[in-house]
Amino acid sequence: MTIQQISSFAAGEWIAPGEGARNIASAVTGEVIATAGNNGLDVQGMLDYARNVGGPALRKLTFHQRAKMLKALAQHLGQNKQVMYDLSFNTGATQSDHLIDIDGGIGTMFVFASKGRRDMPDGHVYLDGDVEQLSRNGTFLGQHICTPLRGVAVHINAFNFPVWGMLEKLAPTLLAGVPAIVKPATNSCYVTELCVRLMLESGILPTGALQLVSGGLGDMLDHLTMQDVVSFTGSADTALKLRSNPVILENSVRFVAEQDSLNCSVLGVDAEPGTPEFDLFVKEVQREMTTKAGQKCTAIRRIIAPETHVQAVIEALSARLEKTVIGDPKLETTRMGALVSNSQKRDVLEKAAIIGQEAERVFGNPDVFDVDGADGDKGAFLPPMLFHCANPDTAKRVHDTEAFGPVSTIMGYRDTDHAIELANKGQGSLVASVITRDADVARSFALGAGAFHGRLYFNNRDSMKESTGHGSPLPHMVHGGPGRAGGGEEMGGVRGVKHYMQRTATQGSPDLLTAIGSKWVPGATEIKGPAHPFTRRFNDLAIGETLHTEPRTITIDDIQHFADFTGDTFYAHTDEAAAKRNPFFPGRVAHGYLLLSFAAGLFVEPNEGPVLANTGLDGLRFMKPVVAGDSIKVRLTVKSKTKRNDQYGEVRWHVTLTQQDDELVAEYELLTMVAY
Ligand code: NAP
């Protein structure tokens, strides 16, 4: 059997393993299948290449161009996933594990591609929040902006998800406009290397945007600056060691850590045996214990059930675990494959022994279990093991020992407050699930356990069919947790992208802020266009182009007519005496919607033209009531423009309605689709 040489990709060259290379064994057979690592890697050269070649190339692209690049990459990987599946069986993963790692990673990239186009501008500056009014007359304003860091993101990943673990960090990094150097865990780096090769060979990425270290990182961390980011996933011990690096501390290098955690799942007091919630709970726990052979950072390590139902849970869970077929991950009948390596297996057994000092093993015997289609003595196989801790209040190790394998401990609680106390004994976790239909239980957990968890997952019969699973981090939602879990936050849509950008508070005049953000700020210079703006095409319209309309006087007949016509005969529009008794109105007032309709009548250009559709209004506020005899006029300004497809883009207009004394009556943003 040939031993695969797993290379690194450094400064545009594939570098084969060399001095210091480590052998990697198959999780299933225990045989050496690959070798990786090279002490001679020029880490400074890699950093320079990323900073001087990859960074500038990525920063030239807009957020939308980078999002399109991610979509193309995800499509390319999707077309080539079979080769990754084939290789990944060696890590002990089953086909359903591949769906989480490989398909999950590709799916995450798709979500970031779509978030980048929907939630970020087709420009180079991301505006974070609204304009802040810092002066009485609005000549001095504030705006937070985010721009890409000028350095490199060093991603250090754990062994359990060789593809997802890379892509969930790579997608937000590239979207931000920052190059990455990926260092996967050596045990499963051959799968990551294949995925990196596929991405590089696609030709979709700019030169220098992605490099790979297979094997040790050398002294790369000693060369980082304040413009770089380390994004680490792995054990708490390694995280502590790496984040204590003097260069990282001295240069305040950003360090995002996703560590191990003692996640729990809680059976609500209402979820008695016989309810759909009880069955759901048992099913979720069994799935979390056995998926990836329990090697999931979000796996359920602690099962917290009402004291009265502990025995029922043990019985139901044992019955399900009994049916979990362990064996060669390639077999379709296999439900749980192997751990990544025999050293990982030894580690899990050591940790299980520590848990065993405080809890009794009630299911699974690591010395006696069946393995289908593989040699159980050579591969890194283990059975699921369930422990029962009778004294969870005095126990310590069950709350702080992570056996990174198919190991979980059940413990009983007296009431909801006690369950929250036990959940929080994990000292900071990635996720806690609470299976309940009782709104009070859910609210108590949100308030009592929220501060200790990065994610709270509530599930019951109403949501179970569509729920995504206790253990699945989603690209839309924050993944990470406080304390023991590392204190990091990954993904979460644009929140994840911000790890790779600097947020800067900009302060200045409306004209300067408009120029910086490519978004018109009230108070900035208005541009008079050559014709009515609705006759102008998307590409011709300038940011700040403004139309002022003629005034229109509102009569009492208009108000009455609108009330009769629409059926909105609310007393403030129809009954003078009743309206006067209302603290907001001087008497009968015009309907807000009448004013909006008149505004459209004032600014619209009726003939067929480039404006294709009105797709909505944002931020509508009515500031001052309008009575019969008042007149209103409209100012319509191009606020921002976003390309949507090959034919048209969205133009966002800032609209104000003022009355005869120039006092503001209403303000909103109007959205239209305009042809190119
Ligand atoms: P690990 O031993 O801590 O290793 C993590 C990564 O750090 C690997 O890439 C490893 O490379 C690297 N590393 C170790 N020492 C290093 C050093 N001195 N300098 C630079 N890099 C170094 O963790 P693991 O065994 O791979 O993963 C299992 C752990 O990860 C579990 O505890 C699990 O809970 C945690 N995890 C957390 C999450 C999360 O999102 N929170 C996700 C997955 C896993 P080598 O492999 O080359 O040593």
Side-chain angles (χ1 to χ4, degrees), residues 22 156-161 183-187 215-217 221 232-235 238 241-242 258-261 297 344 402 404 430 479 485 490:
R22 249 176 59 191
I156 303 174
N157 297 333
F159 70 79
N160 55 339
F161 289 117
K183 185 253 173 291
T186 305
N187 274 331
L217 206 50
L221 301 187
F232 171 84
T233 303
S235 61
T238 313
K241 189 161 126 198
L242 300 187
E258 300 296 342
Q259 301 173 183
D260 49 42
S261 99
C297 54
Q344 183 63 23
E402 185 205 40
F404 201 59
L430 295 168
H479 171 59
E490 287 177 339

Side-chain angles (χ1 to χ4, degrees), residues 366-447:
D367 298 322
V368 187
F369 64 102
D370 292 331
V371 177
D372 274 12
D375 186 338
D377 292 331
K378 292 197 173 135
F381 295 95
L382 275 181
M385 285 177 268
L386 179 64
F387 287 82
H388 172 220
C389 176
N391 300 303
D393 292 322
T394 49
K396 185 170 176 313
R397 304 319 304 268
V398 297
H399 300 293
D400 73 7
T401 308
E402 185 205 40
F404 201 59
V407 181
S408 197
T409 306
I410 184 165
M411 53 196 81
Y413 72 83
R414 293 182 295 277
D415 53 28
T416 299
D417 283 347
H418 186 214
I420 292 170
E421 200 183 302
L422 293 177
N424 294 350
K425 275 178 179 277
Q427 290 302 305
S429 300
L430 295 168
V431 52
S433 53
V434 186
I435 307 302
T436 184
R437 220 176 166 218
D438 184 326
D440 288 338
V441 171
R443 199 175 136 73
S444 299
F445 259 92
L447 285 168

Side-chain angles (χ1 to χ4, degrees), residues 636-651:
L636 181 78
T637 305
V638 177
K639 178 165 182 166
S640 62
K641 303 195 300 176
T642 310
K643 287 187 178 155
R644 282 281 178 244
N645 59 24
D646 295 343
Q647 295 169 346
Y648 54 81
E650 180 189 273
V651 177

Side-chain angles (χ1 to χ4, degrees), residues 144-194:
H144 290 98
I145 64 167
C146 295
T147 52
L149 291 177
R150 295 297 180 115
V152 53
V154 179
H155 296 168
I156 303 174
N157 297 333
F159 70 79
N160 55 339
F161 289 117
V163 175
W164 177 84
M166 167 171 63
L167 298 184
E168 60 109 5
K169 291 177 183 173
L170 192 58
T173 303
L174 294 176
L175 190 52
V178 174
I181 297 175
V182 175
K183 185 253 173 291
T186 305
N187 274 331
S188 56
C189 71
Y190 49 93
V191 184
T192 312
E193 188 224 32
L194 175 60

